[in-house]
Amino acid sequence: LGEHAILPSECSKGALVVGTTRQTLVGLFDPVGPGTALPGLFDRLSSAARDRARMPCVYKLSPRAAAQARQAGWSLIPIAEEAVIDLSTFDLAAPRRSGLRRKLRKAKSTGVSVVHTASLPVQEMAEVAREWVSLRKTERGFSMGRFAPDYVAGQRVFRAEAEGRLLAFA
C-alpha cells in the first residue's frame, strides 16, 4: 500500500521487504531468493538502517529465517504469535470459551450478526473506515494495513451488521 520497499541483496538475486517507522527500518517476513543470496541481507538491513539513522529490526520471521538472523549476529526477541484456530478441533462449548460465548450472546441480543459473503458493500466499508479514522486521527498502517477498496475486494472479509447496517469489518 505504498509504505514498504524492497531491499535487494548485494547480488540482486535475493530481497527483503522493508518498512520505515519513526525509529526503525523493519525487515518484514522472510527474505526471498536463493539461499546463497540471503545471509548478507541482515547485514544489508543493518547498513541501510544506519544510513537512515534508524535501528534495524525484523518482524514475522519463520524459525528458519530467525536462525539465519542469529547466525548473522542478531539478537531475537519474540514479541507476538499469530492466532491460529484449528477448526477441526475448535469447540465453542469448551469451558475456556465461556467469555467468547458470553460476548456472542450479548452481540446476538443487540441484533449484531457476523456475515461473510462474496459481494462486499465497499461504499459502506469506506464510510466505516473513515469514521474509524476520524475517531483515532490516523489508520494504523504499516503491518496492520490501511483501508484500500481494491485490496479488500480480493480478501475474505467478515462483517458485523445490525438491522442491515454495517458496523465493522475485518
Side-chain angles (χ1 to χ4, degrees):
L1 299 176
E3 55 190 55
H4 299 92
I6 302 295
L7 179 69
S9 64
E10 285 286 332
C11 66
S12 298
K13 292 183 180 180
L16 186 61
V17 174
V18 295
T20 303
T21 70
R22 289 183 205 159
Q23 299 173 342
T24 62
L25 181 63
V26 183
L28 294 162
F29 312 107
D30 288 3
V32 295
T36 56
L38 304 183
L41 274 168
F42 294 106
D43 291 337
R44 193 151 166 90
L45 177 62
S46 292
S47 177
R50 191 173 37 256
D51 292 347
R52 299 172 192 181
R54 289 186 165 59
M55 293 293 298
C57 68
V58 289
Y59 183 61
K60 291 193 172 187
L61 293 181
S62 68
R64 177 181 232 164
Q68 289 176 328
R70 274 190 212 93
Q71 287 172 352
W74 286 58
S75 297
L76 301 175
I77 303 168
I79 59 168
E81 286 187 39
E82 293 287 327
V84 177
I85 299 172
D86 181 355
L87 295 178
S88 67
T89 61
F90 181 81
D91 181 10
L92 189 58
R96 67 178 187 253
R97 306 269 188 253
S98 63
L100 176 58
R101 288 192 302 274
R102 191 170 36 257
K103 294 287 185 188
L104 291 171
R105 279 193 308 273
K106 185 173 182 178
K108 186 176 182 177
S109 72
T110 61
V112 173
S113 61
V114 175
V115 179
H116 176 259
T117 59
S119 63
L120 297 176
V122 177
Q123 294 299 336
E124 286 180 77
M125 293 168 68
E127 181 55 37
V128 168
R130 277 191 294 276
E131 185 176 331
W132 194 93
V133 170
S134 74
L135 294 171
R136 291 164 181 81
K137 307 291 186 251
T138 185
E139 289 178 286
R140 293 196 190 270
F142 199 67
S143 69
M144 294 296 293
R146 299 180 191 282
F147 180 71
D150 291 341
Y151 179 77
V152 170
Q155 305 303 309
R156 290 182 57 190
V157 177
F158 295 87
R159 304 183 316 271
E161 297 180 353
E163 298 176 4
R165 183 175 158 261
L166 180 65
L167 303 173
F169 62 91

